[in-house]
Amino acid sequence: MASSGQQSVTERRLRPIYDAIDNMQFKKAVQLCDKVLKKQTGLQAGKALKALALSRQQRIEEATAIIDELVAEKPDDDGTLQAMTLYFRDQGQLEMVSEVYEAAVKKKPKNEELLTHLFMAYVRTESYKKQQQTALALHKVVPSNPYYSWAVMSIVMQAKQDPKMGKEMYLPLAEKMLDKFAKEGRMTALAEARLYVMVLEMVDKPERILRVLNSPIGQLYIVVEEREMKVIDCLMKLSRWKDCARKYVELILRNPNQWTLYTNYLDCQIRRHFAGEGSKTDRSPIAEAKDLIRHNKSIEDAKSRGRNQAPYLAELEFIWKLREVDLQDTIELGIPLDLLVDYFKKFGHKPCCFDNTNTFVSRLLSSADTDKYLQLVEEIVVADPVDYECSDDEIPLNVSRITRHIYLFQIRRYIGKYDSLSIQDKLSLVDELKQYHMTGLKLGRLLQKTEMQYSDFYLQLAAQLLLEVYQETGNITFLWDTAIMLELGWKRSRKNAQFQLIMLKIYGELGAFEVCSELYDALEIKSMQIDTLGYITSRYMQAVGTFLFANHFYSFALKFYKNCERESSECLVQGYRNGCFFKIPEMTDFSVRLAKSFHRALVTVDQQLLLLTSNTHSVSQAQKAYSSILLSPSYEDHIKEHFSSLKDNRDFKVFEDWHSLKRKLSKEIINVSFEAECLWLRIVAIMIKLLKGAVFFVPVGQRDTASQSDGLSDLPAYPVPTSIEAFKEGMAFFEESLKMAEAHEAISVFKQPKNPLVPISRPASPLLNLFMKYNYGQTLITAFKITCLFCELIQSPEGSVDNDKLTEVQMLLDTVVSQLTDASSKIPGISNELRKQFQESTQQDKDVALAGDAPPATGPDDVDEPPVSKRPKHPFDVLRNVSIQFEPYVMFVQVTGFVTMLCAVCAELICPVPAAPTKKKKVVKPTLLPLDTHKLLLQYIGRLKPIIKELSAKHPVLPNISDTTGFVESFSRLSVNDQDTSDKEEQLAWLTSATRTFQEVVESYNSSLRSCATILDSKRQLLDDTSALLNQHIATESVN
C-alpha cells in the first residue's frame, strides 16, 4: 500500500513536467525537475526528464552528464526509460536505447513490456538477429501470435540483408516456421496470412500460394481484389493463361474503368493465342478479348453522361498490341482514326484527353492519317466555338469548349507541326496564344484564388515556344520576355505550379536567383518534394552568388533528411506493431534510397563549400570552420564508395511538356547528367578534404591571442591524416578524378550554350563543365603541390635545403598566376559601355518619373507625341539585350579564395612562431628557409592582387533603380494612344510587370555582386596580412 501511494505521489509530481515538455516550455520543465529532485533526490524519472529538457534547450553538456549517470545506474522503470529513449532519439544515438533496455531486461528477464521495447530498439538500429532472439524470448514469456510473427519477419529481414544466406538458410527457416504455424491452426489474422504469402513469394512457390489462398487462410483477406490479384500473379507465373484471363474478366466486370486490368488482360489473351489455346474451339482468345471490349463499349455508349474511358482506350491499346506481334490481320477491329475521333467527341472536354491519346496518335496513325485526324479535330472545335461573353450559367459548357481548343494546340505540338515553323511564325503563334489566354480569363471570373485559370495552358505553350526561339537565336531578349509573360500570368493564377517551375529555371539561367525566393515559397515544396524537386533550385543558388538563400535552403533540406532518418525508424516500429509486415521491406528500401539520395549528397557538399567560401578570412578561422566538417579517417575510400552508390531521385516529369517524341527528354541525357553531377560532387569532396588537410599543416592557433583562439584549443582530433604522404595520395586521387572528368561524355553533351531550357525538363548543364572549361582543376592541383613542397622544405634537415624544390616552387607559382590570369581574361564582365548606357537610362527614367507627376493632358490632342527614336528608353531595354554571366565569376571567386588561403598557409609554414622555452626542454629552433623563398612568396602575392582587383573592377554594382511608376504611365501615354482601351490596359499591365521584374532582377544582381565583392575584399585583406607577416619575418631575420 505504501509503495502504491508513493508511486501515485511521484506520478502527480511528474505530470506538470510532462505537460511543460509537451508545450515546449523547457525552461519551466527544468525548474519543475529541480523542485521534484529536491524532494526525491534519487528519482531517476526526474533526472531523465531534466536531461531531456536541457537537451532541447541545447544545453547538451549538462544533459549528457545526467544521462551518463543514469546509464551507469541501469534503471528499469518505464518512465525513466521512455524519457531516456526520447533523449537518445533527439541526439541520434539509437544504439544507446538498445543498451539501456538490455540492462533493464537483465534485471527483469520476463517483463513483457521491457522485452517489447527492447525489440523495437533493435528495429530502430536494424539489428535483425537480435530482433529474432528477442521476439522468440517474448513468445516464450507470452505465447502470442504477433510475437511469433515478429520473429519470422526478423528472419525475413536477415534474408534480405544477406541474399545468399537468405536462399540457403533464412527463408527456408521462415517458411518452415509458418508452415508449422498454419498446420497448428493458429493463423487467424490478415497480417499473418500476408506474411505467409510474402515468404512463399520470396521462395518462389506459386502453387503453394494458390493452395494457401484457396484455403481458410485465404478467407482472411478482407479486400477481395487483393486476394484475386495474388491469385492472378501465381497463375501468370504458372502460365495458366486461361484461368488468368477468366479472373481478369471477373475483375473488369466489377471495375470497368480500371485501365491496368485491361492492359494485363490483353497481354494474357495474346499469350494464350501463342500458346495454342482456343485453336480447337470456335472462339479464339483474341476474339474473346474483342467481344469483351465491344460489350463494355456498348454499355458505355448507352449512357448519356458519366461514361468510363477505359473500354474506348482498351480498343486502341488492343490494336497496338496486335500490331506489335503481327496479329492485326487475325481479327477485324475498328479503324484507329475513327476510334480516336470518336474518343475526342466523347471525352475531348476532359483535360486528360491529350495524355490518354497522344501515344496512340503517334503509334497507330500514319502521316496522312495524322493530318486527317488534325483536320477532323479542328472541324469539331471550330463547329462549337467558345463563347467568352457567356453568362455565369453557361461557363461550364464553354470551359469544355476551351479544353477542346487547347487539345488542338497540344496535339499539333506533339506531332511536330510547330517544329518547322520559322522564327517569325513562332512569334506570331505566341501572340495568338497570349490573346487566347487573355480572352479566356473571362471564363475564370468566378474562380477562387486557389484555382488555376482555364486558359493557363495557352500561356504555358507560348512560354515553351518562346524558349525555343531563344534556343534558335541565342537572343536573351526572348528569355526576358518569357519571364515577364509568366510573371504576369502568375499574378492572375497564383496556384499554377508550372508557371513557377519554368520561372525558377529561367531566373537561374539569367543569374538572378534571389528573385526566386517568393516563387519557391509559393510552391510550398515540402516533404519528399525537397528530395525530388530540390535539384531545380540547388543547381543555381550558390553558382550565381545568392549565398544567403543557399545557406537557408541547405539548412532546411538537411533538417528534412535528418528528420526522415528519425521518422523512418519509427515507421518501421509501427509496421511491426500494426502487423504491416509486407510494407517493412518497402520502408527499408525507401530509407536506404533516401540515405543515398543524390540531392542529399549535393546539399551536404554544397553547404561545406559555402562554408569554406564565405567564412575563411584567416588561417585560424579556416581551421575553426573546417573542424566542423566531419570526415571519416579513410576519406578517399569513403568518397569512392559514397558517390558511386548514389540514387537519382530527381523528378523530371513534373514539367508538363508537349514536345514531339523526337525532342522529348531522353533517359540518356538524364543518365549522363547524373553521372556528371556525381563526378562533380566527388571532385568537390576531395577538394574540401585537401583544403582541410592543408590548413591543418599549420599548428592550431599558432598566432592567435587568447581571445582569438577561443574554441580552437578544443577542436576535436583531426580525422584526416595531415602527413605529407597522405596529402600526396589525396592529390593523386584528385588528379585521377580530373582525368575522368576530362573524358566524360557530359563535357560534349552539355557543351552547347543555347539549349539548357529546351525541352524545359532538360537538366541544367553540370558545373563540372564550367570547372573544366576554365581549367580550375589544374590551378588547384598546382596550388596544392606548392603547399606540399613548402611542407617538405620546412621538414628537411637544417642546413640542407633542396634547391631543386625551390626552383620547382618558383615554376609552380608562375603557373598558378598564369592560369588565373588566363581564366580571368575569359570571364565576361559588365562592360563600361553597358554600365554607362544603364546609368543614362536610369537617369532618364528618373526624369520621366518626375515628369509623370505633372498634371495629365486633358485629351489626345493636347499630347505632342515625340517620334519613336526620342521616346524614353527604359533601363530594362538596356539590360534585356545582354547576358550577365554570374557562374564563371562566382566560381572564379571561389577558386581564387582557395588559392589565397593556400598562399596564407604557405606563409604560416615558412614563418613559424618559435616555441616558448621551458625548464624541462630546450627550444628546438625550426628549420629556416632562405629569405629568397619569402621574397618569392611576396612576389607571388603581389601578382595575385592585381588579378583580384581587375576581377572586381569588371563586376561593379549596377545603379539603383528609382520608383518607375511615373515612367510607366508616361511611356504608356506615348506608345498606346492609338489603341483601344483593352490594349492600353494590357500594355500597361505588361510594362508594370516588366518594371517590377526588372527592379527585382537588378536587386538580385547587386546582391550577388556585393556578396562576391565582400569575399574578394576579405581575400585581398588576407593577402595584405600575409604580406605583412612575410615582411615582418624578413625584417626580423635580416636583423638577426
Side-chain angles (χ1 to χ4, degrees):
M1 291 291 292
S3 176
S4 177
Q6 181 65 30
Q7 184 177 358
S8 177
V9 171
T10 301
E11 290 177 356
R12 189 171 65 252
R13 289 173 176 173
L14 294 178
R15 175 50 51 196
I17 303 175
Y18 285 114
D19 293 339
I21 292 176
D22 289 342
N23 295 324
M24 301 182 71
Q25 298 174 340
F26 304 124
K27 184 177 180 180
K28 181 180 178 182
V30 172
Q31 293 171 349
L32 291 172
C33 288
D34 289 336
K35 289 182 181 179
V36 171
L37 290 172
K38 282 183 180 179
K39 297 177 181 178
Q40 292 178 261
T41 310
L43 184 61
Q44 293 176 333
K47 293 179 181 179
L49 290 171
K50 182 178 180 180
L52 179 62
L54 287 170
S55 70
R56 293 185 178 179
Q57 286 182 294
Q58 301 304 314
R59 296 162 65 180
I60 304 300
E61 292 184 4
E62 299 174 59
T64 302
I66 296 173
I67 287 295
D68 290 344
E69 180 184 342
L70 283 173
V71 171
E73 293 176 4
K74 299 181 179 179
D76 57 11
D77 64 290
D78 184 62
T80 303
L81 292 171
Q82 287 295 321
M84 294 175 72
T85 298
L86 290 174
Y87 170 83
F88 289 129
R89 279 184 56 196
D90 288 349
Q91 301 304 313
Q93 301 175 4
L94 295 179
E95 67 283 350
M96 289 300 299
V97 180
S98 305
E99 184 178 325
V100 295
Y101 272 106
E102 284 171 358
V105 167
K106 286 181 180 179
K107 288 184 177 181
K108 299 178 180 179
K110 294 188 178 182
N111 187 300
E112 180 184 4
E113 188 173 0
L114 289 178
L115 283 168
T116 301
H117 284 302
L118 178 59
F119 177 84
M120 297 308 173
Y122 289 141
V123 169
R124 293 187 182 98
T125 57
E126 298 182 0
S127 304
Y128 302 128
K129 183 66 178 177
K130 292 182 178 180
Q131 282 180 216
Q132 176 191 349
Q133 295 169 349
T134 307
L136 290 174
L138 259 171
H139 186 258
K140 186 176 181 181
V141 173
V142 183
S144 174
N145 287 7
Y147 298 151
Y148 192 84
S149 300
W150 289 1
V152 175
M153 190 63 214
S154 300
I155 296 172
V156 171
M157 294 308 294
Q158 291 179 71
K160 183 175 176 61
Q161 191 178 48
D162 187 351
K164 183 179 179 181
M165 288 297 294
K167 291 182 179 180
E168 296 177 0
M169 183 176 72
Y170 294 127
L171 290 178
L173 175 60
E175 181 188 1
K176 185 177 180 181
M177 291 176 67
L178 288 171
D179 285 342
K180 179 182 177 184
F181 199 55
K183 288 177 182 178
E184 293 174 355
R186 295 169 56 192
M187 198 168 286
T188 58
L190 174 61
E192 296 154 11
R194 283 173 170 169
L195 178 61
Y196 194 14
V197 172
M198 182 177 71
V199 171
L200 291 174
E201 285 176 341
M202 295 177 75
V203 296
D204 195 20
K205 293 185 177 180
E207 291 183 354
R208 287 277 309 280
I209 296 173
L210 284 177
R211 289 201 296 271
V212 169
L213 292 173
N214 292 324
S215 71
I217 295 175
Q219 303 307 313
L220 296 174
Y221 280 85
I222 300 173
V223 181
V224 177
E225 283 75 10
E226 181 185 358
R227 176 183 172 277
E228 293 299 314
M229 290 307 299
K230 291 288 183 184
V231 171
I232 289 174
D233 289 341
C234 295
L235 292 174
M236 292 181 72
K237 289 180 180 179
L238 295 171
S239 299
R240 291 168 56 178
W241 306 116
K242 184 176 182 179
D243 294 334
C244 189
R246 178 174 51 80
K247 287 287 184 182
Y248 270 125
V249 170
E250 294 174 2
L251 290 175
I252 288 172
L253 293 176
R254 290 202 297 263
N255 305 278
N257 201 39
Q258 191 165 342
W259 169 244
T260 54
L261 293 178
Y262 281 98
T263 58
N264 293 334
Y265 168 72
L266 295 175
D267 288 335
C268 184
Q269 292 291 52
I270 291 173
R271 288 176 180 271
R272 283 185 65 197
H273 173 83
F274 283 107
E277 295 185 23
S279 58
K280 298 179 181 180
T281 62
D282 295 332
R283 286 171 52 79
S284 69
I286 304 298
E288 288 181 11
K290 186 196 77 169
D291 292 344
L292 175 66
I293 294 172
R294 293 282 174 86
H295 171 73
N296 286 351
K297 275 188 65 177
S298 64
I299 294 175
E300 301 302 325
D301 287 336
K303 298 179 181 177
S304 59
R305 55 184 299 179
R307 293 189 179 98
N308 293 318
Q309 301 180 53
Y312 298 92
L313 295 172
E315 189 165 12
L316 292 165
E317 180 73 10
F318 196 24
I319 295 172
W320 166 244
K321 287 183 179 294
L322 292 177
R323 285 188 181 183
E324 276 191 313
V325 293
D326 294 327
L327 290 177
Q328 63 267 32
D329 298 328
T330 60
I331 190 168
E332 183 180 349
L333 293 168
I335 300 172
L337 176 60
D338 295 339
L339 294 175
L340 283 166
V341 172
D342 181 60
Y343 180 86
F344 178 74
K345 289 178 180 178
K346 290 183 171 67
F347 304 105
H349 64 284
K350 294 181 178 292
C352 63
C353 181
F354 172 76
D355 293 326
N356 290 342
T357 59
N358 55 12
T359 53
F360 295 123
V361 170
S362 60
R363 288 175 175 177
L364 300 179
L365 299 185
S366 63
S367 178
D369 284 344
T370 301
D371 293 337
K372 181 65 174 175
Y373 176 68
L374 282 178
Q375 179 184 347
L376 293 172
V377 168
E378 188 171 357
E379 289 175 0
I380 295 171
V381 172
V382 171
D384 190 18
V386 183
D387 180 10
Y388 295 105
E389 305 298 335
C390 64
S391 63
D392 293 350
D393 295 337
E394 295 177 334
I395 285 179
L397 175 62
N398 284 280
V399 168
S400 298
R401 291 168 176 166
I402 202 173
T403 304
R404 290 192 185 95
H405 193 228
I406 290 171
Y407 174 85
L408 181 60
F409 285 98
Q410 290 175 318
I411 202 66
R412 282 174 180 168
R413 179 167 174 78
Y414 181 78
I415 63 177
K417 290 297 181 181
Y418 299 148
D419 293 350
S420 58
L421 292 180
S422 65
I423 300 296
Q424 192 57 46
D425 289 340
K426 285 185 178 179
L427 293 177
S428 299
L429 180 57
V430 167
D431 291 337
E432 181 184 353
L433 290 166
K434 287 165 65 176
Q435 189 59 43
Y436 280 130
H437 171 257
M438 285 302 302
T439 312
L441 292 175
K442 297 176 182 179
L443 297 178
R445 58 183 178 268
L446 301 180
L447 291 174
Q448 300 293 324
K449 291 183 179 180
T450 55
E451 296 179 275
M452 289 172 51
Q453 289 290 333
Y454 301 121
S455 60
D456 280 354
F457 291 100
Y458 292 119
L459 207 61
Q460 192 175 326
L461 179 55
Q464 294 180 13
L465 289 170
L466 271 179
L467 291 176
E468 284 188 12
V469 175
Y470 165 63
Q471 179 199 24
E472 294 170 15
T473 63
N475 188 346
I476 200 169
T477 301
F478 296 113
L479 200 57
W480 282 102
D481 289 347
T482 308
I484 295 165
M485 180 182 70
L486 291 175
E487 284 277 7
L488 198 56
W490 184 49
K491 286 184 177 68
R492 294 159 174 160
S493 183
R494 301 294 288 187
K495 291 300 179 180
N496 191 310
Q498 290 299 316
F499 289 173
Q500 295 164 263
L501 290 169
I502 297 172
M503 284 191 288
L504 281 175
K505 297 199 73 172
I506 290 175
Y507 286 128
E509 184 67 18
L510 289 170
F513 203 79
E514 199 165 284
V515 183
C516 298
S517 57
E518 183 184 359
L519 290 168
Y520 186 82
D521 292 339
L523 274 172
E524 297 181 354
I525 291 178
K526 58 187 69 174
S527 189
M528 277 305 300
Q529 291 176 328
I530 295 173
D531 188 58
T532 57
L533 302 182
Y535 74 95
I536 301 172
T537 52
S538 57
R539 162 61 180 82
Y540 295 105
M541 56 183 64
Q542 186 174 177
V544 298
T546 52
F547 298 130
L548 186 62
F549 183 80
N551 187 46
H552 170 74
F553 176 84
Y554 296 152
S555 300
F556 183 75
L558 290 173
K559 184 179 179 181
F560 158 73
Y561 287 115
K562 185 177 180 181
N563 289 338
C564 279
E565 280 186 356
R566 183 169 62 249
E567 296 303 325
S568 60
S569 63
E570 294 308 308
C571 289
L572 290 173
V573 168
Q574 293 304 316
Y576 280 97
R577 287 190 185 278
N578 299 326
C580 297
F581 301 116
F582 67 103
K583 288 292 182 182
I584 290 174
E586 294 179 20
M587 288 187 285
T588 304
D589 292 340
F590 172 78
S591 299
V592 171
R593 190 169 186 85
L594 205 59
K596 294 184 177 181
S597 165
F598 158 73
H599 189 253
R600 180 176 187 169
L602 174 68
V603 295
T604 302
V605 171
D606 274 2
Q607 187 183 53
Q608 295 174 0
L609 186 63
L610 178 60
L611 175 67
L612 306 189
T613 300
S614 56
N615 295 332
T616 52
H617 309 320
S618 67
V619 174
S620 59
Q621 276 190 332
Q623 289 174 335
K624 192 170 184 179
Y626 288 19
S627 65
S628 65
I629 301 175
L630 301 178
L631 306 176
S632 62
S634 56
Y635 195 56
E636 290 88 346
D637 294 336
H638 173 74
I639 291 175
K640 290 177 181 177
E641 294 172 0
H642 182 67
F643 293 107
S644 62
S645 62
L646 294 178
K647 305 294 183 182
D648 189 3
N649 300 335
R650 297 175 296 173
D651 182 9
F652 294 100
K653 294 181 180 179
V654 69
F655 291 95
E656 290 182 357
D657 189 8
W658 307 309
H659 264 300
S660 57
L661 287 175
K662 64 181 180 180
R663 302 189 68 178
K664 278 189 174 295
L665 180 63
S666 65
K667 290 184 178 179
E668 290 74 15
I669 295 292
I670 296 175
N671 293 335
V672 170
S673 165
F674 178 62
E675 291 173 5
E677 294 288 4
C678 291
L679 184 55
W680 168 242
L681 291 183
R682 172 176 164 173
I683 288 174
V684 175
I686 190 62
M687 181 180 70
I688 292 172
K689 181 254 180 184
L690 287 171
L691 287 167
K692 184 173 182 180
V695 166
F696 278 92
F697 276 130
V698 179
V700 173
Q702 76 170 5
R703 295 185 189 280
D704 292 325
T705 62
S707 60
Q708 290 173 327
S709 61
D710 182 34
L712 286 174
S713 58
D714 298 327
L715 288 178
Y718 181 53
V720 179
T722 54
S723 66
I724 295 176
E725 291 74 17
F727 194 78
K728 286 182 176 180
E729 290 177 6
M731 288 194 297
F733 181 43
F734 191 50
E735 288 186 287
E736 176 191 336
S737 300
L738 291 176
K739 289 179 181 178
M740 290 177 60
E742 289 174 358
H744 200 276
E745 187 180 357
I747 302 298
S748 58
V749 170
F750 291 94
K751 189 175 182 180
Q752 296 299 326
K754 295 181 182 179
N755 61 357
L757 299 174
V758 178
I760 190 60
S761 56
R762 181 185 175 93
S765 177
L767 289 174
L768 177 67
N769 284 43
L770 195 65
F771 190 76
M772 301 305 295
K773 176 182 177 181
Y774 288 92
N775 206 25
Y776 289 138
Q778 295 304 319
T779 302
L780 288 171
I781 275 290
T782 308
F784 287 137
K785 287 180 179 178
I786 294 169
T787 308
C788 190
L789 284 171
F790 273 114
C791 286
E792 291 178 340
L793 286 169
I794 65 171
Q795 292 182 14
S796 60
E798 188 174 356
S800 59
V801 176
D802 190 338
N803 291 324
D804 292 338
K805 288 185 179 179
L806 288 176
T807 304
E808 186 179 358
V809 166
Q810 183 174 1
M811 293 174 57
L812 293 176
L813 290 174
D814 292 338
T815 303
V816 170
V817 172
S818 174
Q819 290 171 337
L820 287 177
T821 303
D822 181 60
S824 178
S825 64
K826 295 177 181 178
I827 295 175
I830 302 174
S831 66
N832 292 329
E833 182 181 355
L834 168 64
R835 181 174 170 79
K836 183 179 178 181
Q837 291 179 0
F838 191 81
Q839 187 105 31
E840 291 174 353
S841 60
T842 304
Q843 183 59 44
Q844 191 177 24
D845 178 22
K846 294 179 182 178
D847 296 339
V848 172
L850 291 173
D853 294 334
T858 57
D861 297 335
D862 297 328
V863 179
D864 294 328
E865 184 176 346
V868 175
S869 60
K870 294 186 178 181
R871 289 180 184 176
K873 189 175 185 180
H874 198 294
F876 174 67
D877 292 327
V878 176
L879 193 60
R880 73 199 290 258
N881 292 309
V882 297
S883 173
I884 299 179
Q885 298 183 26
F886 278 96
E887 291 185 3
Y889 174 47
V890 174
M891 186 171 286
F892 187 89
V893 169
Q894 292 176 319
V895 172
T896 305
F898 299 149
V899 171
T900 303
M901 180 56 64
L902 292 171
C903 177
V905 168
C906 293
E908 291 279 359
L909 290 173
I910 63 176
C911 302
V913 177
T918 60
K919 294 181 180 180
K920 296 183 179 180
K921 189 174 181 181
K922 293 182 179 181
V923 176
V924 179
K925 190 175 180 180
T927 302
L928 298 179
L929 299 179
L931 294 183
D932 289 343
T933 308
H934 301 73
K935 295 176 181 178
L936 186 64
L937 198 55
L938 271 174
Q939 293 174 2
Y940 174 60
I941 293 172
R943 296 169 68 186
L944 286 178
K945 288 181 181 179
I947 299 175
I948 297 177
K949 183 177 180 181
E950 180 186 356
L951 189 68
S952 298
K954 288 171 65 176
H955 294 83
V957 175
L958 297 171
N960 292 326
I961 308 301
S962 64
D963 182 9
T964 54
T965 305
F967 170 85
V968 171
E969 294 175 354
S970 301
F971 192 92
S972 63
R973 287 201 300 271
L974 292 171
S975 58
V976 297
N977 278 327
D978 55 341
Q979 299 178 17
D980 59 34
T981 304
S982 61
D983 288 339
K984 286 183 179 181
E985 291 177 355
E986 177 58 21
Q987 184 165 356
L988 184 59
W990 190 92
L991 286 168
T992 304
S993 178
T995 302
R996 178 179 174 273
T997 301
F998 174 68
Q999 288 175 315
E1000 292 179 349
V1001 167
V1002 170
E1003 289 172 6
S1004 177
Y1005 282 170
N1006 284 339
S1007 177
S1008 298
L1009 290 168
R1010 290 190 190 100
S1011 297
C1012 292
T1014 301
I1015 294 172
L1016 288 177
D1017 287 343
S1018 69
K1019 301 311 174 186
R1020 279 202 299 265
Q1021 184 61 48
L1022 178 58
L1023 289 178
D1024 290 340
D1025 294 342
T1026 305
S1027 298
L1029 172 65
L1030 289 167
N1031 284 321
Q1032 181 183 2
H1033 184 82
I1034 291 172
T1036 303
E1037 291 299 317
S1038 298
V1039 172
N1040 294 336

